[in-house]
């Protein structure tokens, strides 16, 4: 069993990895923020976004020209809204098939009939799960992030709820600021991905019952770049 020091050291290692990954993407994150502001000048994260005051001043000047009173149209906003309605207008459907299909011209035997039944059950179950786990509002946010920042993230969250082994699987939308990944040029080379999740002190104690969190700082800015 890992000691408190081992857990803290491992945590520090991962914090450094995530911090380095976010620093590597600092330009991308700033540009993504600008793109969201161009999409909607009232972007709710604007006032809390961690950037320099000089950058904010220049940004204000730019948006002052972009959204002048005589400029009554926002082509970028219109284009994004059109894409949202045309691309994936609804939650995707699930299709499951056998890797090695049998010849349907022949009369199916018992094994083949069993496979068909199992596939239909899996497909219906997966479709029900996707439809009920992924809310339409979360799906729209995912598509917005995809079109505006180039990266939309949906996270499949698996957890065991109790000692009986009751399992829960949810599909969560992850805000573009709350996602980090191993900074590699090719996806096949990426070793890890991470999401930021805010938990309370009681939740953290449940996850790590042996660790003393009395001197732990629980304040955090959710809008850090």
């Amino acid at each position: 069993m890992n000691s408190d020091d081992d857990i803290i050291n491992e945590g520090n290692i991962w914090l450094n990895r995530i911090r380095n990954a976010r620093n590597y993407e600092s330009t991308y994150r700033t540009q993504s923020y600008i793109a969201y502001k161009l999409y909607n000048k009232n972007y709710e994260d604007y006032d809390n976004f961690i950037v320099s005051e000089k950058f904010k001043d220049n940004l204000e000047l730019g948006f002052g020209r972009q959204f002048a009173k005589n400029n009554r149209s926002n082509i970028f906003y219109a284009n994004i809204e059109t894409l949202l309605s045309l691309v994936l207008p609804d939650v995707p459907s699930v299709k499951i098939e056998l890797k090695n299909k049998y010849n349907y011209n022949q009369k199916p035997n018992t094994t083949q009939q069993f496979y068909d039944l199992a596939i239909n059950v899996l497909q219906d179950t997966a479709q029900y799960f996707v439809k009920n786990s992924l809310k339409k509002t979360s799906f729209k946010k995912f598509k917005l992030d995809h079109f505006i920042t180039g990266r939309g993230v949906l996270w499949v969250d698996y957890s065991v709820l109790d000692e009986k082994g009751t399992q829960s699987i949810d599909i969560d939308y992850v805000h573009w600021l709350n996602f980090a990944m191993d900074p590699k040029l090719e996806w096949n080379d990426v070793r890890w991905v991470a999401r930021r999740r805010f938990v309370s002190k009681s939740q953290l104690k449940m996850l790590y019952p042996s660790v003393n969190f009395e001197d732990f700082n629980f304040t955090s800015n959710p809008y850090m770049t």
Side-chain angles (χ1 to χ4, degrees):
M1 185 174 181
N2 293 336
S3 66
D4 290 359
D5 290 339
D6 291 335
I7 294 174
I8 292 173
N9 289 335
E10 184 178 2
N12 287 331
I13 290 173
W14 278 107
L15 284 175
N16 287 330
R17 287 175 179 171
I18 293 170
R19 189 178 298 111
N20 290 336
R22 295 171 74 87
N23 289 336
Y24 179 82
E25 291 186 340
S26 60
T27 300
Y28 157 78
R29 291 173 180 271
T30 301
Q31 291 175 342
S32 295
Y33 164 74
I34 293 173
Y36 251 108
K37 282 296 293 179
L38 289 172
Y39 165 76
N40 180 4
K41 67 176 181 178
N42 295 318
Y43 181 47
E44 60 184 5
D45 291 348
Y46 172 61
D47 292 334
N48 300 296
F49 198 78
I50 307 301
V51 294
S52 68
E53 290 301 321
K54 182 178 179 181
F55 174 80
K56 277 192 176 183
D57 291 341
N58 292 336
L59 202 58
E60 285 290 354
L61 290 174
F63 286 127
R65 291 190 296 268
Q66 177 72 18
F67 299 105
K69 290 183 179 180
N70 60 354
N71 184 3
R72 303 186 61 175
S73 63
N74 183 340
I75 301 301
F76 183 56
Y77 176 87
N79 288 342
I80 292 296
E81 290 300 302
T82 301
L83 287 171
L84 288 177
S85 62
L86 293 177
V87 180
L88 292 176
D90 198 1
V91 176
S93 59
V94 178
K95 180 67 174 178
I96 300 176
E97 295 182 347
L98 278 176
K99 185 176 182 180
N100 298 317
K101 296 181 180 180
Y102 55 81
N103 187 356
Y104 278 95
N105 294 324
Q106 300 176 356
K107 185 178 180 180
N109 56 35
T110 305
T111 302
Q112 293 167 347
Q113 291 175 339
F114 172 76
Y115 285 155
D116 283 341
L117 176 62
I119 288 172
N120 289 334
V121 171
L122 285 173
Q123 187 167 284
D124 290 344
T125 303
Q127 187 64 53
Y128 175 84
F129 156 69
V130 171
K131 288 283 187 181
N132 287 274
S133 296
L134 186 55
K135 299 177 181 178
K136 287 189 176 181
T137 53
S138 297
F139 190 57
K140 181 179 180 180
K141 290 178 181 178
F142 155 75
K143 291 201 295 180
L144 270 175
D145 285 357
H146 172 74
F147 288 122
I148 296 176
T149 74
R151 177 190 290 169
V153 180
L154 294 175
W155 192 282
V156 179
D157 192 18
Y158 167 79
S159 60
V160 179
L161 301 179
D162 53 37
E163 296 178 353
K164 297 180 180 179
T166 304
Q167 302 174 6
S168 172
I169 300 177
D170 295 305
I171 302 179
D172 296 333
Y173 157 76
V174 179
H175 192 284
W176 62 275
L177 275 174
N178 289 334
F179 179 81
M181 58 181 283
D182 188 15
K184 303 295 183 184
L185 296 179
E186 299 288 339
W187 178 252
N188 290 335
D189 297 330
V190 173
R191 297 171 298 173
W192 57 266
V193 296
R195 63 174 295 186
R196 178 168 52 183
R197 171 177 284 171
F198 296 93
V199 297
S200 64
K201 191 172 184 179
S202 59
Q203 290 173 323
L204 202 56
K205 284 184 176 180
M206 289 180 62
L207 291 171
Y208 303 100
S210 64
V211 179
N212 183 3
F213 292 106
E214 294 303 321
D215 298 327
F216 193 80
N217 183 7
F218 282 87
T219 59
S220 176
N221 190 326
Y223 302 103
M224 288 179 61
T225 59

